[in-house]
Amino acid sequence: MLTAEKVIKEICLLPMEERKKVAWHIIEFGIKGLHPDAPEILDIKGWQDEIARKPFNLKQAAEYLGVSSVTLRRWVKTGQVSAHKIGRAYTFDVRYLKKLKKANVTKGREKQI
């Protein structure tokens, strides 16, 4: 039986150019979704929903938004970005961050939130 581990081992044996193609397809499917003609082998929507259930910490949220942790903390303190505070740590709803990022990206460049 073919397993994910076996596939990964086989991918590692490919020449670098072929590995880049595999990586490109995985990234493209993760962002754009599967091509309409491709067979449904992964539940991309379910996978994205599973990831979105776990809140991001400050570092993860800052990395996702492409800003420094200091900038994101300042945005939270000034009310520009919504976050939950647990003790001294901030947590961020992934779906909120996704909407925030999408709303603030114009013509391929991000504007300040």
Side-chain angles (χ1 to χ4, degrees):
M1 179 175 142
L2 192 61
T3 65
E5 289 81 13
K6 289 179 183 176
V7 170
I8 290 169
K9 285 180 184 177
E10 290 296 318
I11 290 170
C12 290
L13 296 174
L14 291 172
M16 184 56 73
E17 286 305 311
E18 293 301 308
R19 282 190 266 167
K20 287 179 184 178
K21 289 178 189 176
V22 171
W24 176 257
H25 286 292
I26 291 170
I27 292 167
E28 186 174 5
F29 290 155
I31 295 170
K32 295 181 182 176
L34 291 172
H35 187 277
D37 297 336
E40 183 63 42
I41 56 170
L42 297 173
D43 181 10
I44 299 292
K45 178 75 172 119
W47 189 29
Q48 289 172 334
D49 289 344
E50 178 67 28
I51 292 169
R53 282 189 205 120
K54 299 176 187 174
F56 277 5
N57 61 32
L58 183 77
K59 182 179 177 184
Q60 292 167 322
E63 184 176 307
Y64 177 73
L65 294 173
V67 298
S68 71
S69 296
V70 173
T71 297
L72 183 55
R73 189 177 292 113
R74 184 176 62 244
W75 288 349
V76 170
K77 287 181 179 181
T78 60
Q80 293 175 276
V81 174
S82 176
H84 301 282
K85 194 166 186 183
I86 301 172
R88 293 174 47 196
Y90 290 108
T91 61
F92 300 83
D93 181 272
V94 176
R95 291 174 291 252
Y96 168 76
L97 294 175
K98 186 176 181 179
K99 288 178 187 174
L100 182 68
K101 186 171 183 175
K102 188 175 182 178
N104 289 286
V105 174
T106 55
K107 297 182 184 172
R109 294 191 325 224
E110 290 188 36
K111 60 183 180 180
Q112 187 171 355
I113 298 173

